[in-house]
Amino acid sequence: MKPTKESELNLSGATRYLDDLPATEGMLYGVPLTSPCARGLLRGIDASAALALDASVSVLTASDIPGENQLGEAVSDESLLVDGEWSYLGQCLALALAATPSLARKAAALVRIVYDELEAVTDARAAAESGSFILPSRTMRSGDPASAFSRCAIVVEGRVESGGQEHVYLEAQGAIAESLEGGRVRVVSGTQAPSGVQRAIARTLGLGMHDVEVEARRLGGAFGGKEDQAAQWAALAALGAARTGKTVKVYLNRREDMNWTGKRHPYSSDYKLGLDAEGRILAYEADYYQNSGACCDLSPAILSRTLFHAASAYRIPNLRVTGRMCRTNLPPFTAFRGFGAPQGVFVIECALDAAAREGGWDPVELRLKNLLAEGDSFHFGQPVADCRARRTVDRTLELSRWTELRAEIDSFNSAHRLVKRGAAILPICFGVSFTKLVMNQGGALVHVYGDGSVSVSTGAVEMGQQVARKIQVIAARSLGIPEGLVRVESTRTASVANTYSTAASTGSDINGMAALAACEEIRGRLLGLAARMLGADKGELRIESGFVTKGCEITELAWKELVDKAHLDRIDLSAHGFYATPGLFYDMKAERGSPFAYHVYGCSAVTATLDALRGTYRFDEAFIVHDVGESIDYDVDLGQVEGAFAQGLGWAALEDLRYDERGRLLSDTLSTYKLPDLRFMPSAVKIEFLEGAPNPKAVMRSKAIGEPPLLYGIAGYFAILDALRAVDRTHPTKAPSSAPYAYDLPMTPEKALDFIQGVRR
Ligand code: LUZ
Ligand code: MOS
């Protein structure tokens, strides 16, 4: 990869993350005391032993909060510090402050609480049975599935489980809050949503938003984990700063972060799929039981993305899908790259898998037959436009030499008893835009300094995805100057206000457009001046590579000179830009509309080799053809596809989140929670971007890149399943039961071994 300035800083270790910022004089460290069981009633807090530890110690509780003790935005069900009942293990009860992190941890441990343990629920279906929901259920329909099922030649039904996923961002959650004069606070927060954190702190402290400044410098990864859940750590730090008048830092260690913060939602789902004799899908029904955890958080938005992606890349004329947000006593599950789509896509893929077996169809033929095409509509009414499903699938079949590959695998399998190979193909179709309309807006502030260098601020948070790099390219191209002249600033609420989270893969779509608007404004002013200076028509002038050009000629007028002259002429060299994604609308009552600006298409093919005695496996090859529109930075986009695929493969086949029945996380370290590493990845990964595929709906004809490729990992699950099905059923131990296969993601080696041995899970 071609080094950019940012990646050079990252690789050399020069980048300063939150924990690298130098400690300031008198700074205090805040460590929360958290709840010891999944559900309980707090009867009293005794901090005397903690306070006796050191003169620097203080302990804050709910009664120290001057404003509202409430973080929930959609539903008011999340207190910052518990006052009364708590609803998950790891919920914050008090904040211990001390002069060093270890003193603060000791102090938190010395706080005594009196409480009653209450009965807890951790299972989504059990919560549903007892009527414990975050909000009422939500259903989308199209056509008439009930009558369509009666016309089907084949109907398959079953259950699908998918597990959660821990973000494991390299940098844990945290914030540093500085108390300013007059009760104001300035906070550096590891958040994807600086304006959201600003609002949360203002509410907590009873201040106006103008008294709270939030900066997100750059995050060491987030993946959705810092979209909603960064707010509580920032609010705690701000509370500490407000109460003590000192700078307060809250920074979780890995184990705290894994235990206390939310993860991807586990789902338990029922499906029913009906097809005609030729294998065309006629009807589909699904019921999703989302384990939402103890508080609302982003669960409704995540559920809506599940429902929007229920049919994935397939045409389904009659459909009914219902989602339920089941309230359980686990830490609130939250945004995670893909945001509900992977869970929904996995269910329809399982249904197709079951149908292919039942109908004796080739799995790839079956998918091709039902693939979305131009002229189709999604089940929520949006027309399928500029559809690239078939193009990406066809190219994947070519790139992987699918027909030969399949034949090679089949002959390998007939020649080997104890080692089996498998393969799977998976098309994707991912809708881009926040499903909540209001969030599809962003702003930018651009300054051209007197020496011709440029500063760009937007609402986009840099979290390693290189959105800053893309915005730099966009600004430089717009102004016609070398990229080195453009600096993209860290994200501050005082520079760009009322922004939404850098999320939904829209970071560069929205903020790039806002930056572009501001740059175009300044460019227009400068070209007007250049036209007067050169006695030319503004329409024939451009700026390219730092010089004004007229028609095809380069003039003598350089960027720096033009900027200098503009300043002398008292022309404003700053501009604000704004972008609101056009054309979006949605009627929640009718469940009809066009919620997405466009869709991202693509396809993956994954092969695996299974040890049929042990259940262990490895991935051999992956072929991915992905639709990025016109890439703004090839290396960045390639890195995003690779990383998302790895993360998807981890979710599908490895990452195993385990809780005990009392809600304690068992896999709370990186020795018990395994992550995909280089050796887990296929030995060969071939990624190709679809050519000649400009996207008129986004900045510089590009497409969003962050989340869609995560779905490719799901092919890994089915590649292992394919290999498992080739295992000789008379060997080595018991024959598998004839009961229908229960789809249960992740496909860990343990589950693969159970499959081989015929244990029904
Ligand atoms: N966050 C959000 C998201 O608030 N709304 C969304 O639609 C979304 N989609 C994907 C990822 N994060
Ligand atoms: Mo979201 S999963 O923070 O893009």
Side-chain angles (χ1 to χ4, degrees):
M1 175 164 163
K2 165 178 74 203
T4 63
K5 273 215 174 117
E6 177 80 12
S7 60
E8 268 168 24
L9 294 176
N10 284 342
L11 287 172
S12 65
T15 317
R16 280 189 183 175
Y17 295 94
L18 196 85
D19 203 34
D20 301 318
L21 298 177
T24 55
E25 180 77 32
M27 184 156 111
L28 296 175
Y29 296 82
V31 170
L33 161 72
T34 60
S35 60
C37 64
R39 194 164 154 240
L41 181 65
L42 184 62
R43 295 197 170 279
I45 294 185
D46 172 10
S48 52
L51 295 173
L53 183 66
D54 187 82
S56 70
V57 172
S58 54
V59 174
L60 305 179
T61 61
S63 61
D64 290 299
I65 296 174
E68 276 178 69
N69 184 10
Q70 186 52 247
L71 290 170
E73 299 222 20
V75 178
S76 295
D77 62 355
E78 192 174 0
S79 51
L80 176 63
L81 290 172
V82 168
D83 179 18
E85 209 178 299
W86 70 75
S87 54
Y88 64 91
L89 198 161
Q91 202 166 346
C92 296
L93 309 179
L95 181 72
L97 296 164
T100 69
S102 65
L103 264 180
R105 285 203 161 80
K106 249 187 220 153
L110 285 174
V111 176
R112 293 273 157 268
I113 58 165
V114 186
Y115 68 98
D116 299 331
E117 184 164 353
L118 304 174
E119 203 175 319
V121 179
T122 58
D123 179 72
R125 299 229 184 207
E129 243 154 60
S130 65
S132 171
F133 298 109
I134 303 276
L135 288 172
S137 70
R138 192 167 161 194
T139 295
M140 291 185 189
R141 302 169 193 279
S142 70
D144 181 0
S147 80
F149 275 119
S150 64
R151 299 195 307 274
C152 290
I154 280 180
V155 176
V156 287
E157 287 181 75
R159 185 182 274 210
V160 175
E161 308 288 341
S162 63
Q165 189 175 21
E166 160 62 43
H167 302 86
V168 203
Y169 20 67
L170 282 178
E171 180 187 32
Q173 302 252 16
I176 298 175
E178 186 189 351
S179 158
L180 305 179
E181 67 280 4
R184 301 176 57 206
V185 286
R186 180 155 60 210
V187 180
V188 177
S189 163
T191 178
Q192 294 172 244
S195 293
V197 168
Q198 180 192 22
R199 192 167 49 245
I201 293 173
R203 271 174 79 182
T204 304
L205 300 185
L207 297 174
M209 283 173 76
H210 64 323
D211 288 328
V212 180
E213 183 182 349
V214 175
E215 175 181 11
R217 294 168 58 87
R218 67 160 77 65
L219 319 187
F223 308 115
K226 300 167 184 172
E227 185 176 338
D228 230 38
Q229 298 207 354
Q232 59 177 318
W233 317 113
L236 286 174
L239 175 66
R243 297 309 293 197
T244 62
K246 303 255 174 76
T247 296
V248 171
K249 173 171 172 175
V250 173
Y251 185 69
L252 307 190
N253 66 31
R254 178 66 59 191
R255 201 162 197 163
E256 291 165 346
D257 193 303
M258 289 180 83
N259 272 295
W260 300 344
T261 72
K263 310 170 196 321
R264 186 190 298 287
H265 293 73
Y267 275 50
S268 178
S269 311
D270 299 315
Y271 69 84
K272 182 177 176 188
L273 182 71
L275 306 93
D276 68 12
E278 278 74 54
R280 275 184 297 261
I281 301 173
L282 293 185
Y284 180 57
E285 287 184 342
D287 287 274
Y288 309 100
Y289 294 85
Q290 178 196 66
N291 191 332
S292 311
C295 312
C296 180
D297 195 90
L298 289 161
S299 291
I302 289 159
L303 185 75
S304 68
R305 195 168 273 281
T306 303
L307 298 175
F308 283 130
H309 290 79
S312 191
Y314 306 106
R315 176 190 319 110
I316 303 183
N318 301 286
L319 170 150
R320 193 272 307 156
V321 288
T322 303
R324 293 175 181 82
M325 285 162 261
C326 308
R327 195 189 284 276
T328 63
N329 298 108
L330 294 177
F333 290 97
T334 193
F336 193 133
R337 202 175 195 173
F339 205 75
Q343 293 95 322
V345 168
F346 182 58
V347 178
I348 181 69
E349 289 293 342
C350 290
L352 280 168
D353 178 78
R357 304 212 19 107
E358 183 72 22
W361 293 300
D362 174 73
V364 176
E365 287 301 315
L366 182 63
R367 282 168 177 78
L368 280 175
K369 188 165 290 180
N370 292 289
L371 208 57
L372 277 178
E374 211 69 20
D376 291 334
S377 289
F378 293 101
H379 53 275
F380 40 92
Q382 179 162 0
V384 172
D386 211 351
C387 183
R388 291 161 184 175
R390 186 70 203 222
R391 274 175 75 190
T392 49
V393 174
D394 282 349
R395 182 62 197 136
T396 305
L397 296 176
E398 246 171 60
L399 189 66
S400 62
R401 305 177 307 112
W402 180 260
T403 314
E404 294 89 332
L405 182 65
R406 186 75 255 180
E408 281 162 27
I409 289 176
D410 292 343
S411 72
F412 178 94
N413 286 346
S414 34
H416 297 81
R417 268 202 332 185
L418 299 183
V419 182
K420 296 291 180 183
R421 295 188 63 200
I425 290 266
L426 191 115
I428 69 160
C429 169
F430 191 93
V432 177
S433 289
F434 286 96
T435 59
K436 200 168 164 191
L437 184 66
V438 65
M439 298 177 81
N440 295 288
Q441 59 173 315
L445 178 64
V446 175
H447 301 308
V448 175
Y449 293 115
D451 66 351
S453 62
V454 177
S455 152
V456 182
S457 296
T458 72
V461 173
E462 176 57 49
M463 52 190 116
Q465 87 282 43
Q466 303 289 311
V467 67
R469 163 75 190 147
K470 288 192 176 177
I471 289 169
Q472 181 188 41
V473 172
I474 291 165
R477 279 200 216 160
S478 162
L479 296 172
I481 57 175
E483 288 162 6
L485 283 179
V486 179
R487 150 91 47 222
V488 177
E489 308 287 351
S490 67
T491 314
R492 290 168 188 264
T493 53
S495 304
V496 181
N498 306 319
T499 60
Y500 284 92
S501 44
T502 302
S505 309
T506 62
S508 52
D509 279 23
I510 292 177
N511 298 283
M513 276 293 203
L516 185 63
C519 290
E520 297 286 286
E521 168 82 34
I522 295 174
R523 190 175 65 107
R525 292 178 204 150
L526 289 173
L527 285 181
L529 170 66
R532 294 193 294 281
M533 290 169 73
L534 297 169
D537 190 23
K538 186 176 167 186
E540 53 183 352
L541 298 183
R542 295 161 52 106
I543 309 171
E544 283 173 63
S545 312
F547 281 89
V548 175
T549 61
K550 181 179 165 185
C552 315
E553 282 166 53
I554 302 178
T555 71
E556 302 271 89
L557 184 54
W559 166 257
K560 280 188 185 168
E561 194 187 335
L562 182 61
V563 168
D564 191 42
K565 184 69 168 59
H567 182 60
L568 292 173
D569 273 15
R570 297 187 297 164
I571 291 173
D572 183 6
L573 287 169
S574 298
H576 168 68
F578 180 76
Y579 185 71
T581 315
L584 307 177
F585 65 94
Y586 199 74
D587 177 345
M588 286 276 289
K589 259 215 192 92
E591 295 288 6
R592 283 289 180 283
S594 277
F596 299 118
Y598 58 90
H599 283 76
V600 171
Y601 295 89
C603 185
S604 65
V606 175
T607 66
T609 299
L610 172 81
D611 179 326
L613 272 180
R614 296 179 182 84
T616 53
Y617 51 78
R618 62 158 202 269
F619 295 111
D620 303 317
E621 290 172 296
F623 303 91
I624 292 173
V625 176
H626 186 76
D627 166 25
V628 276
E630 282 176 12
S631 179
I632 291 175
D633 185 307
Y634 177 87
D635 294 321
V636 168
D637 284 341
L638 185 65
Q640 286 293 305
V641 176
E642 289 171 351
F645 173 57
Q647 214 160 24
L649 214 50
W651 176 62
L654 181 67
E655 295 180 48
D656 200 3
L657 212 52
R658 296 280 184 95
Y659 296 89
D660 69 13
E661 59 300 340
R662 294 178 66 201
R664 183 173 298 278
L665 180 65
L666 301 171
S667 48
D668 71 344
T669 64
L670 295 180
S671 55
T672 50
Y673 184 78
K674 291 183 88 177
L675 285 178
D677 56 13
L678 206 54
R679 292 186 40 181
F680 182 76
M681 294 303 287
S683 335
V685 179
K686 282 208 182 99
I687 296 167
E688 196 178 282
F689 291 153
L690 193 64
E691 284 188 17
N695 174 31
K697 297 291 176 60
V699 65
M700 296 194 152
R701 296 174 298 281
S702 66
K703 278 198 177 182
I705 192 73
E707 301 175 279
L710 185 133
L711 297 170
Y712 294 137
I714 295 172
Y717 178 95
F718 290 102
I720 302 165
L721 185 58
D722 188 48
L724 281 168
R725 284 174 175 151
V727 174
D728 186 347
R729 283 169 190 242
T730 62
H731 188 87
T733 52
K734 283 181 284 180
S737 81
S738 59
Y741 173 68
Y743 296 97
D744 186 2
L745 171 156
M747 177 65 88
T748 55
E750 191 181 345
K751 285 182 197 159
L753 187 62
D754 282 353
F755 181 101
I756 292 166
Q757 300 196 329
V759 178
R760 200 179 161 202
R761 294 180 67 94

